[in-house]
Amino acid sequence: MKTLWHDRVTWKDIESRFRDHGVTQVQVKFLTRNHNSKNQIAGLGSDLTALSHLFPGPVTAHDATSGKPKAGPPIYRVSLPWVWFSESGLSPAPETKLIYYPQYPEIRLSGFLDASPEGPRELLAFSEAPGSRGQEEGRCLIFGPSKDKKVFAMVVSSLSPAAGYLREFNKGRGTLLQLSLRADRADSREVLFHELRLIHKKNWIEAYRLRPDGLREECHGTNSHGVTLESELGITANGRAMPDYLDWEVKAHRVKHLSNHLSSRITLLTPNPDSGQAKDFGTTWLTKTYGKPNETSSRYDLSGVHRAGVVHGKTGLEFGIEGFDAESQKITDDGYLYLRDPIKDIDLGRWSFSKLLTHWQAKHGKAVFVPCITKKGQPEEFSYGTRVHVGEGTSFLHFLAAVAAGSIVLDPGLNTKLDKNAVWKHHTRYQFRSSLTNAAALYRSFEKVVL
């Protein structure tokens, strides 16, 4: 058997490589015979949210090609910015993708050797040739995100000192392990909670936004409390649907009292529809056709809490879901959420599962909900509490089930109005919202933590 670099590497060598590229936390997948380029690498989780910290790209839907009995359409794919460590340097793997099979449900890693000149073929390529090591038991896949939004990875053989160290460290912990590479070994939860304690101790903080160049500017509007908290954590304004701090989504919500806030309403997602008449004709058309005018008809508003399967009493519109069986909690087709005119039987807006998955998997794998109270002024000031709620282990199926049950609602904030030049100007904000009372249904683990 040929001796490889992957046979000699130590855990100290691995830590050094990852740290040098800005990686502070890695996951280790212990590989079995079936984990290779032919069979893909399974066992990475049951939902894309489990890997939301890996900078996934847009989700696309595809027909399932498997002949297995449960393998009906659809499956969903998302690309990853994957880069292999090789003996001589770095080898990008641009075809690496995650595949989500909602019918099982399961996540698999695929395409990780394609177009990667120095990818670890010796240990991951499937072959029935004598001496092939692509089905070797005991290999370890190590991967983690960097600050420059890449996912660095390497695989080591079962014979390596690194694999021996990991097997000893992992006793009784399962086949997927998470390790901190920080000098203090603190995990992302500990680091986040430490920062939230420091923010609480500042008491009142004037509303501001942290620009990409690091400068501060005043912040106004309904979401200024959330933007200010993100800015305190060093998160710059970017509008990207990505986890806020390390691998956590941080959501601030206004309350009257920091001691009692379970009923507070929270905004989960704000995506625009990707099809339907509202996309074709625009917000001004939609609000003037279905909204409520003011006394002079110089402004139209379309708002209100819309629950699935119920025609709204004021707007006359119906919110609903297609392609999801609420009883079995299974995706049955490449479906969508809709806002519909039930009389004309036309969809004003559709949000495809692919688009919703792109937002949900990128933001909500792990979330912390932070209460704040407000002091009016120019600008406003906020004080953030220590009684936070922590949700971990959500899934897209949880999201769809909550929509079907009415725990997640569509609460649009749309308007169009005449400006001083008599030109119609619109504001578009489609809000998928819930409350902390219902948020527990979205996560496998939901707890209150006093910082």
Side-chain angles (χ1 to χ4, degrees):
M1 182 176 66
K2 179 183 176 182
T3 300
L4 306 171
W5 165 63
H6 311 84
D7 296 323
R8 305 188 304 270
V9 68
T10 67
W11 180 246
K12 185 177 180 180
D13 295 333
I14 293 173
E15 281 191 306
S16 178
R17 283 177 177 261
F18 278 99
R19 283 174 175 165
D20 287 348
H21 286 82
V23 179
T24 59
Q25 186 167 281
V26 297
Q27 288 174 278
V28 180
K29 174 62 181 173
F30 294 88
L31 304 182
T32 66
R33 286 180 54 81
N34 287 334
H35 294 140
N36 50 56
S37 58
K38 177 183 178 182
N39 298 307
Q40 305 170 339
I41 296 178
L44 297 177
S46 60
D47 189 83
L48 289 170
T49 53
L51 300 174
S52 62
H53 59 296
L54 300 183
F55 313 112
V59 178
T60 57
H62 304 266
D63 288 338
T65 57
S66 171
K68 294 180 181 180
K70 291 184 179 180
I75 61 173
Y76 297 90
R77 296 176 184 169
V78 55
S79 61
L80 292 180
W82 198 268
V83 180
W84 288 111
F85 286 121
S86 69
E87 186 171 11
S88 60
L90 301 175
S91 183
E95 299 301 317
T96 304
K97 63 184 75 70
L98 295 174
I99 304 180
Y100 172 42
Y101 297 83
Q103 55 269 47
Y104 299 132
E106 183 179 57
I107 302 296
R108 297 180 186 175
L109 187 71
S110 179
F112 42 79
L113 295 181
D114 298 342
S116 183
E118 296 184 57
R121 283 171 173 74
E122 300 92 342
L123 290 178
L124 289 178
F126 176 84
S127 174
E128 295 180 346
S132 169
R133 304 181 64 184
Q135 294 177 277
E136 182 178 280
E137 291 279 356
R139 296 160 295 155
C140 297
L141 171 67
I142 305 109
F143 57 94
S146 69
K147 292 181 180 178
D148 60 352
K149 299 176 179 58
K150 293 184 177 66
V151 181
F152 289 96
M154 67 183 301
V155 64
V156 297
S157 80
S158 61
L159 306 176
S160 68
Y165 168 82
L166 290 169
R167 283 194 295 270
E168 184 66 23
F169 183 87
N170 188 55
K171 284 183 176 178
R173 290 185 171 91
T175 62
L176 188 63
L177 173 68
Q178 184 167 287
L179 287 174
S180 172
L181 301 185
R182 291 169 52 93
D184 58 7
R185 298 300 180 185
D187 62 22
S188 62
R189 175 175 167 135
E190 293 170 336
V191 175
L192 172 60
F193 285 4
H194 173 72
E195 294 300 321
L196 291 177
R197 289 187 196 99
L198 296 179
I199 292 170
H200 165 70
K201 289 179 179 179
K202 291 185 177 182
N203 200 7
W204 292 105
I205 302 170
E206 287 190 353
Y208 77 99
R209 182 190 313 274
L210 189 64
R211 298 186 343 195
D213 60 8
L215 297 178
R216 296 167 57 135
E217 63 183 12
E218 279 195 15
C219 179
H220 305 279
T222 58
N223 194 38
S224 58
H225 59 301
V227 173
T228 301
L229 178 59
E230 291 177 355
S231 299
E232 284 290 301
L233 290 168
I235 302 164
T236 59
N238 50 44
R240 294 178 298 108
M242 295 297 294
D244 291 327
Y245 191 77
L246 301 176
D247 52 350
W248 287 85
E249 169 78 355
V250 182
K251 299 198 74 67
H253 57 99
R254 299 178 192 248
V255 296
K256 293 182 178 180
H257 306 286
L258 291 177
S259 59
N260 185 11
H261 55 268
L262 259 182
S263 63
S264 179
R265 189 164 293 280
I266 52 177
T267 301
L268 301 172
L269 303 171
T270 57
N272 291 340
D274 48 345
S275 64
Q277 293 200 344
K279 178 177 175 59
D280 295 337
F281 303 126
T283 300
T284 294
W285 171 85
L286 180 65
T287 51
K288 291 180 73 174
T289 305
Y290 293 95
K292 180 181 179 180
N294 65 3
E295 292 181 357
T296 62
S297 296
S298 60
R299 173 175 173 137
Y300 293 80
D301 287 273
L302 180 57
S303 60
V305 173
H306 294 69
R307 286 185 169 80
V310 179
V311 176
H312 194 275
K314 293 184 178 180
T315 67
L317 302 180
E318 179 187 4
F319 176 52
I321 183 171
E322 295 281 356
F324 177 74
D325 186 325
E327 184 174 347
S328 65
Q329 298 203 351
K330 295 287 187 181
I331 291 175
T332 59
D333 201 354
D334 184 22
Y336 52 89
L337 305 186
Y338 62 81
L339 182 64
R340 180 174 293 165
D341 180 337
I343 296 177
K344 297 181 179 178
D345 195 26
I346 55 173
D347 287 344
L348 304 175
R350 284 187 180 184
W351 293 262
S352 67
F353 285 177
S354 297
K355 178 160 188 171
L356 293 167
L357 261 169
T358 298
H359 283 260
W360 190 252
Q361 56 98 25
K363 291 181 72 71
H364 293 86
K366 296 188 287 188
V368 58
F369 302 91
V370 183
C372 74
I373 53 177
T374 305
K375 184 188 292 185
K376 297 297 183 181
Q378 292 296 329
E380 289 183 307
E381 295 180 57
F382 305 108
S383 179
Y384 298 90
T386 57
R387 298 186 180 188
V388 303
H389 284 81
V390 180
E392 297 186 65
T394 188
S395 75
F396 188 58
L397 297 180
H398 279 79
F399 173 82
L400 295 180
V403 170
S407 299
I408 292 178
V409 300
L410 175 62
D411 186 8
L414 311 176
N415 68 68
T416 188
K417 56 186 177 182
L418 286 171
D419 66 10
K420 60 183 180 182
N421 297 316
V423 176
W424 287 103
K425 299 291 186 180
H426 66 263
H427 171 76
T428 304
R429 186 172 173 86
Y430 293 94
Q431 302 173 120
F432 291 91
R433 308 185 78 186
S434 187
S435 68
L436 282 176
T437 306
N438 293 324
L442 299 176
Y443 298 92
R444 286 187 287 275
S445 169
F446 192 76
E447 60 178 327
K448 182 172 74 174
V449 176
V450 180
L451 300 178

